[in-house]
Amino acid sequence: MILSFRRKAMPDTIGALYGAIVAQARAPAFYADYGVPDTVEGRFDLLILHVALFFRRAREEGESLRAVGQGVFDRFCLDMDHGLREIGISDTSLAKKMQKIGEAFYGRAAAYDKALGQADGAMLAAALGRNVFGVQTAPHEAPAVRRLAHYVRAAAEDLSGQASDAIAAGAVSFPDPRAIEAY
């Protein structure tokens, strides 16, 4: 009986977590105030960013949140698969498109993770400038890039402070992007 309940609860938990991540990535402030391009690519990059931040938090905890992190990543992949099918990508092209999405996720997640490990914000700004804004030169000088870098650091710190049992139960939150000042 308990195992049956947990199997039903896990999809609900994953759905709640992924829903919170998607809602945060779609927050209008990123597009209106931060200048993230309101395009398919801009929205995709913000979704990857927030999934990567969540995935990073789940990894911090070790085994206790590993299944939850994997579940959120699987849900992300399923969402991408559905989105590609909705725009008419055929089954024959789908595997290659999904491979590119996986490569984009892992490449960006590794870049953000490495940059968050540095005290200096230049590496994070460069990664965000390149991936989210398409800025190749001196991205740390762009106010929008610097502001997003400050948001990402605040979000990573906020996620690290959230209780693992709350996350495992499907509750996760991110800082209000409007509250992060431009620098």
Side-chain angles (χ1 to χ4, degrees), residues 6-177:
R6 285 189 180 166
R7 287 184 190 173
K8 288 182 183 177
M10 187 63 144
D12 292 343
T13 299
I14 299 305
L17 292 168
Y18 188 68
I21 291 166
V22 169
Q24 185 71 10
R26 290 183 180 166
F30 290 118
Y31 308 99
D33 301 341
Y34 284 64
V36 172
D38 193 4
T39 60
V40 170
E41 293 83 8
R43 288 175 179 257
F44 174 72
D45 276 310
L46 276 185
L47 180 58
I48 284 181
L49 173 62
H50 286 88
V51 171
L53 285 167
F54 178 82
F55 204 65
R56 183 176 197 268
R57 170 60 180 96
R59 276 194 341 263
E60 284 177 3
E61 204 65 39
E63 289 297 318
S64 65
L65 288 180
R66 188 167 302 217
V68 173
Q70 184 62 52
V72 168
F73 179 75
D74 293 347
R75 182 67 181 266
F76 164 74
C77 291
L78 185 62
D79 190 26
M80 294 298 103
D81 181 276
H82 285 253
L84 290 171
R85 289 176 190 277
E86 282 183 10
I87 62 170
I89 302 297
S90 68
D91 286 342
T92 56
S93 301
L94 192 63
K96 286 184 182 179
K97 297 280 187 190
M98 288 301 296
Q99 182 177 356
K100 287 184 183 216
I101 288 171
E103 290 169 357
F105 173 79
Y106 283 113
R108 285 163 172 80
Y112 300 147
D113 195 44
K114 183 175 180 182
L116 283 166
Q118 304 293 314
D120 178 341
M123 184 183 280
L124 181 58
L128 292 167
R130 183 177 55 252
N131 294 318
V132 178
F133 294 97
V135 176
Q136 297 298 325
T137 58
H140 61 282
E141 295 176 7
V145 175
R146 286 195 320 265
R147 187 174 184 192
L148 186 59
H150 286 276
Y151 165 81
V152 169
R153 252 193 220 286
E157 289 173 17
D158 189 49
L159 285 165
S160 288
Q162 293 177 38
S164 59
D165 57 341
I167 293 171
V172 68
S173 64
F174 294 88
D176 182 352

